Amino acid sequence: MRFRLYRTQRPLLVSALCALAALLALTTVPAQHAHAVNGSTSPCALQGQGTTVNEGQNTNYTQFLNPLGTKNIGVVYVDFPDVAGAGDVADYYNLLSPAADWVWNASYGKTWLKMRPVVNRWVRMPSASNAYGTSSPTYQQHSRYVADALRAAADAGADLAGYDMFYIVSTAHSQVSGSHAWYWTPSQPIVVKGTTIRSAVTFGTDMWHWGYKVAAHETAHAFGAPDLYAFSGDQHRYVGGWDVMGHVAGAAPQYFGWLSWKFGWTGDDQVVCVWQNRTQNTAALNGVEYTGGTKLLVVKTGATTAYVAEARRKAHNDSGACSSGVVLYKVDTSVANGQGPIRVVPNPNAAAPTAGCGTLDMAAWQPGQTFYDRAANVQFTVRSADAYNSTVNAIKW
């Protein structure tokens, strides 16, 4: 971590900070609003680095799938020469289909996953189930898997035109164990009977462990979102169980408000931005689980970095959350997928973890608590809270 924590609940720094505030002639600035869904003009919008999944606002929608609106998803069920289709394909569909309502709620009614089978039966792949990279395929192996599956579906009579993306579902007991998102690159297109394939998710046997939330996770990759769990070591050391992009089975899987802003589900007029030195702002943050209201208080700290405050409540997609209050986290769009582009700020005065919860899961900040990063000269103080909102003050020295 590149920040330092100081005690909450009337920290020793308060009097010194107040004096410093007076010396610096701290200014309260109005909320900054912008208008674009992506490539925001907000001073706090951060640009992504490179062409792969990232936390930046500048997602390339010629490569990734635009999250907004109805997404027509063709479902393809595949089996293999070594593993015949097991069971009724309807059982596989019913396992994944609740993702549509989950994403609808997470997007505040702005995205609907309209799933329908392109062929309502098993279609046979040309190669054995161990020929496609199983748990961690290369891009070439994954592309071959997608192409083989969709060609098999087309040969079985499916019309692939008119779909935004495809869910390719492997039969149980195959050696395709992992689920992965695939998105096209213009230099390596997949074209099946005249239809260019731009986006797909392949579901392995892990779907029986994760359930429909694996579809919420992988579909967000197709929208341009990165993984928030660690690719090595303690997988959940960055965000704990906050956000399905971190821990698929986490207690509070609602997407972070930052990701909702990236996707266009949260409008620029719902984001309060502090970006100039010697300024502050106070925002009444409505829980990200609810529709409407101000969602984010963002303090920009660099070209690719910001601190973010959002309110979280035990409601809707987060009904099983371990704690509620204000979640603080740092965003760094220069950090690669799986390396911690978002990192939740631990709360040293949080309650001890309860059964099934980790330290970060308890990290929601409460009224009267203050976080100060000396290196970045950023401070957040939670002023008050009710059942739906938390009022937070942010200062950039």
Side-chain angles (χ1 to χ4, degrees):
M1 296 289 185
R2 286 176 284 177
F3 47 76
R4 296 177 63 187
L5 293 173
Y6 292 82
R7 287 187 59 82
T8 59
Q9 310 267 11
R10 302 180 62 83
L12 295 177
L13 287 170
V14 167
S15 59
L17 290 177
C18 290
L20 180 60
L23 289 172
L24 293 177
L26 194 65
T27 302
T28 298
V29 296
Q32 295 297 310
H33 302 320
H35 309 288
V37 168
N38 208 259
S40 170
T41 59
S42 167
C44 285
L46 305 178
Q47 298 302 295
Q49 308 299 302
T51 59
T52 187
V53 291
N54 63 70
E55 290 293 350
Q57 295 286 332
N58 55 328
T59 306
N60 180 357
Y61 287 147
T62 63
Q63 184 171 17
F64 295 100
L65 185 63
N66 191 318
L68 294 173
T70 297
K71 304 294 116 177
N72 291 302
I73 300 174
V75 183
V76 179
Y77 309 100
V78 299
D79 66 3
F80 306 87
D82 59 318
V83 186
D88 190 334
V89 294
D91 293 335
Y92 294 72
Y93 182 89
N94 292 336
L95 181 69
L96 293 175
S97 61
D101 284 332
W102 196 92
V103 171
W104 176 260
N105 291 330
S107 68
Y108 315 115
K110 294 180 180 178
T111 299
W112 176 249
L113 307 180
K114 185 178 180 181
M115 308 177 203
R116 61 185 187 276
V118 299
V119 179
N120 204 24
R121 60 178 175 81
W122 297 109
V123 296
R124 179 59 53 89
M125 295 287 277
S127 299
S129 62
N130 63 357
Y132 298 101
T134 60
S135 64
S136 299
T138 65
Y139 184 77
Q140 290 70 28
Q141 288 172 320
H142 201 204
S143 295
R144 180 189 168 201
Y145 184 32
V146 171
D148 282 357
L150 296 180
R151 288 188 185 109
D155 289 343
D159 181 359
L160 304 181
Y163 292 100
D164 298 298
M165 68 184 306
F166 294 91
Y167 283 175
I168 300 169
V169 184
S170 169
T171 184
H173 313 304
S174 78
Q175 295 189 58
V176 179
S177 57
S179 296
H180 303 280
W182 178 91
Y183 50 90
W184 84 310
T185 57
S187 62
Q188 301 179 63
I190 294 175
V191 181
V192 179
K193 293 191 175 180
T195 298
T196 299
I197 310 304
R198 292 179 177 267
S199 186
V201 173
T202 59
F203 294 96
T205 57
D206 64 345
M207 64 180 276
W208 298 100
H209 175 73
W210 299 118
Y212 66 87
K213 289 179 187 173
V214 74
H217 176 103
E218 298 299 340
T219 302
H221 282 321
F223 294 159
D227 284 311
L228 299 182
Y229 63 88
F231 285 176
S232 62
D234 176 5
Q235 282 194 317
H236 305 303
R237 66 182 183 272
Y238 296 137
V239 301
W242 305 102
D243 198 313
V244 73
M245 302 311 293
H247 190 357
V248 177
Q254 175 86 6
Y255 301 111
F256 280 124
W258 180 271
L259 191 59
S260 177
W261 187 25
K262 171 184 172 72
F263 285 168
W265 298 339
T266 290
D268 292 341
D269 59 349
Q270 297 175 283
V271 178
V272 175
C273 172
V274 177
W275 81 101
Q276 296 173 317
N277 290 335
R278 292 176 290 184
T279 56
Q280 67 171 331
N281 217 318
T282 299
L285 301 175
N286 184 246
V288 297
E289 299 82 6
Y290 303 112
T291 301
T294 300
K295 296 302 183 191
L296 299 176
L297 176 55
V298 182
V299 179
K300 186 176 182 180
T301 56
T304 65
T305 59
Y307 273 111
V308 182
E310 66 183 46
R312 302 294 286 258
R313 295 295 185 267
K314 296 182 181 182
H316 303 304
N317 287 350
D318 281 349
S319 59
C322 296
S323 65
S324 62
V326 173
V327 175
L328 301 175
Y329 52 92
K330 188 172 184 178
V331 178
D332 188 341
T333 61
S334 71
V335 174
N337 185 40
Q339 304 301 315
I342 288 181
R343 301 189 182 198
V344 169
V345 177
N347 183 347
N349 285 354
T354 55
C357 299
T359 299
L360 283 183
D361 298 328
M362 309 302 295
W365 295 68
Q366 308 303 323
Q369 295 184 333
T370 294
F371 165 75
Y372 177 59
D373 179 346
R374 181 185 297 274
N377 279 326
V378 171
Q379 176 182 294
F380 287 91
T381 300
V382 183
R383 299 297 192 195
S384 62
D386 60 28
Y388 302 98
N389 307 283
S390 293
T391 299
V392 184
N393 174 260
I395 300 172
K396 181 178 172 69
W397 304 103

